[in-house]
Structures are given as C-alpha cells and as structure tokens.
Amino acid sequence: MNNRLRRLMAVVVSLIFMTGIGKGQLVPVPNQKEFVDSLRRELDYGPFFGLYKDTYFIVGTKVPGKPTAYNSDVKFQISFAIRLTKNVLPWNTYLFLAYTQKTFWNVFQESLPMGDINFNPAIGITKPFFNQDRYVGKLSLIVEHESNGRDGPESRSWNRVSLSAMAMIDEWLMVHAKIWVPIIDSGNNRDITKYCGIYQSGVVLMTPNRRWNFGFTWVKRAGFNLNFNTILEASWNVSKKTNLNLYAQYYNGYGEDLLHYNQFRSMLRVGLVFKPKFFSEF
C-alpha cells in the first residue's frame, strides 16, 4: 500500500468515526440485545480485575531483510485494569486504575539482554453509551505516565492526559480514536511527539463469530505532514472454549519503544495473544 492510499484511508476512517459518534447510530444485529445485557452485567457487577489492553507474546524480525541476532527479538506485553468503585458513579461512569508493561527482549543475542522495558500506569474514568438495546460505544478520560525506568542519558518518560473514544458501527466493525495533551518531564525526549505522536485512530474488523479479528491503527506524528506510525494486527481464536489466540503484528514507524523512540522500525512478529472479554483498549 503506497503512502498516498494509506493517508486517504486514515482520513476516511476518521470521518466515519466522527460521524458515528456524533449521530450515536448503530446498525441492528440479531444478538445485540443479549450482547448488551451481558455487557451491562459485566460493567455493573462483573469482576474488578481483568485485562485492559491485549496481553501477548510475539517473536519476529525486521522486514524486509535477512533475520539476524541484532534485528530480531521477542516483544511481550501484559496489561490489566482494576475498578476502584463497587457501585456505578454518577452518569453511569466508572473509575479504574490500569497498568501496561511492554518489554523488548533480545533473546537471540548472547546472555539474552532486555532491550527496553516500558512502564505505563494510568487512572481513568469511562462512560459507556447505550441506545435502547444497542451498545454504541464509550468515552474515556485518562491520565497516564510512561517511562522506561532508566536514569542518566537513557532515561525516557512523558505524561499524557488522553481523551479516548470507541464506537460500534456494526457487530463486525468498530472504530476508535484517542487524542492527548503531552506533559514531557524528561530532558532526554523533548521531541517525543514528533515520533510517538499527538493522536491516533483505527478500525477493527471482526467475523460474526468473533473468531477472526483484524486491526489497523494510525498514530499521527506531530507536524503538518501526513506522517503516521502504523500497526497492522490479525488474530484467530483457536477455540470458543479458550481465550488463546494466534496473533500477528506488523509495526511500521517510530516510537515502538521509548529508548529508541526516534529510530524507524519495520517489524513483523507472530505469537500468541490473550484479549479482554469484550473490547481491547488502544
């Protein structure tokens, strides 16, 4: 896909997203009421601890090119959230704490060193939206910190106040967007928004039985050019009785990890992913 087509798709999806949120529409689906009832029970009475973003373990290499010990690695992420209130807050909102840790592990090098570890705690408040017997989406206000836990010249950190939204267009189509105000507290990465971005949007396609899941996320880097980091994902649930999924992820752009946030990467990795019960965060 050339850059012009990719940029055009990003603009089109963003317009679709804004239209869906503004009108609050959702195409009726046969099992929507059962789905909504299940989601309402989960939000009101469900467990207070669970997955937040995708939790995965993947291995891969730079593409194109010949794999070597220095351009191949293991990437894994753990992510969970904890609800802070037993009852629903005013306006049917709920408060939560979240923690995500992303690790790059150079397993093909001698002594198997860790390349970088990124720590991302957050606190947020979320408002889900329902239209009669249909789930429309949700809106979240999140305060988050991200750092790599190092000191000296390799220290990287920043904070964000983020507004995140997700809308269900159909049972097989979801769009999402997130915009943030950066608060940069490290002198080593003052230009981080030029590489890690100022907002993101994306689309998720699912088969009716939710066995297949395809995602495309764009992260807009700071500046007036249409420059994006892109993430392509595909997963397949091996069985309806388990949350185990085969997973492939392609990352193209900057900011994949904090230590090398200003270095371009084109990485293809495959492995396993465990997904939240209803929807992943981005």
Side-chain angles (χ1 to χ4, degrees), residues 14 18 31 135 139 142 174 204 214 228 253 268 272:
S14 297
M18 290 186 289
N31 298 321
Y135 175 64
L139 189 67
I142 309 167
M174 180 187 80
V204 177
F214 303 93
F228 293 88
L268 177 63
L272 303 174

Side-chain angles (χ1 to χ4, degrees), residues 15-281:
L15 290 174
I16 293 173
F17 171 76
M18 290 186 289
T19 302
I21 287 291
K23 295 182 178 179
Q25 294 180 345
L26 184 67
V27 178
V29 295
N31 298 321
Q32 187 65 29
K33 187 178 186 304
E34 180 181 346
F35 169 80
V36 169
D37 289 343
S38 178
L39 180 57
R40 285 183 186 273
R41 288 194 300 270
E42 189 78 11
L43 293 175
D44 292 343
Y45 310 109
F48 288 86
F49 181 90
L51 295 182
Y52 180 59
K53 299 181 180 181
D54 288 350
T55 291
Y56 56 76
F57 188 95
I58 50 180
V59 58
T61 188
K62 175 183 176 182
V63 291
K66 181 180 179 180
T68 71
Y70 296 94
N71 65 12
S72 307
D73 64 7
V74 163
K75 176 183 177 183
F76 61 91
Q77 175 174 283
I78 57 173
S79 183
F80 56 85
I82 304 172
R83 266 180 53 187
L84 297 179
T85 54
K86 183 176 182 180
N87 298 317
V88 179
L89 297 175
W91 304 292
N92 292 320
T93 60
Y94 59 93
L95 189 68
F96 66 91
L97 277 176
Y99 177 77
T100 301
Q101 180 174 311
K102 184 168 55 178
T103 302
F104 297 83
W105 188 11
N106 299 321
V107 298
F108 301 104
Q109 298 179 24
E110 188 176 356
S111 79
L112 285 69
M114 292 291 179
D116 198 28
I117 304 175
N118 299 161
F119 308 93
N120 182 204
I123 184 170
I125 187 167
T126 291
K127 164 66 177 176
F129 292 93
F130 299 91
N131 182 6
Q132 297 179 357
D133 291 330
R134 296 175 293 183
Y135 175 64
V136 178
K138 66 179 180 179
L139 189 67
S140 302
L141 180 64
I142 309 167
V143 178
E144 53 187 319
H145 170 78
E146 188 174 24
S147 70
N148 65 350
R150 303 193 184 200
D151 56 12
E154 293 187 335
S155 173
R156 307 283 188 270
S157 67
W158 66 325
N159 307 286
R160 295 184 291 177
V161 180
S162 305
L163 184 64
S164 173
M166 182 270 282
M168 292 294 299
I169 306 302
D170 205 334
E171 65 172 347
W172 56 271
L173 176 62
M174 180 187 80
V175 293
H176 59 88
K178 184 178 182 180
I179 187 169
W180 51 82
V181 177
I183 304 170
I184 303 170
D185 56 1
S186 173
N188 296 326
N189 51 259
R190 288 292 180 185
D191 60 347
I192 195 169
T193 59
K194 294 181 180 179
Y195 301 95
C196 294
I198 53 177
Y199 71 83
Q200 68 183 41
S201 59
V203 58
V204 177
L205 303 175
M206 297 163 283
T207 55
N209 61 6
R210 295 184 176 267
R211 295 289 297 277
W212 283 97
N213 188 298
F214 303 93
F216 195 0
T217 301
W218 304 264
V219 181
K220 175 64 177 70
R221 302 196 294 269
F224 295 102
N225 296 329
L226 290 178
N227 49 358
F228 293 88
N229 303 326
T230 57
I231 306 169
L232 284 169
E233 300 170 291
S235 64
W236 176 68
N237 180 238
V238 298
S239 171
K240 292 183 178 180
K241 297 180 180 180
T242 179
N243 190 19
L244 180 63
N245 301 267
L246 300 181
Y247 181 56
Q249 181 192 86
Y250 173 64
Y251 191 99
N252 181 277
Y254 297 87
E256 187 180 26
D257 72 345
L258 287 180
L259 182 61
H260 310 98
Y261 72 95
N262 56 1
Q263 297 181 18
F264 178 84
R265 284 184 177 177
S266 177
M267 301 290 294
L268 177 63
R269 301 180 179 93
V270 296
L272 303 174
V273 63
F274 298 91
K275 290 183 168 292
K277 183 175 181 180
F278 288 105
F279 305 105
S280 300
E281 298 291 334

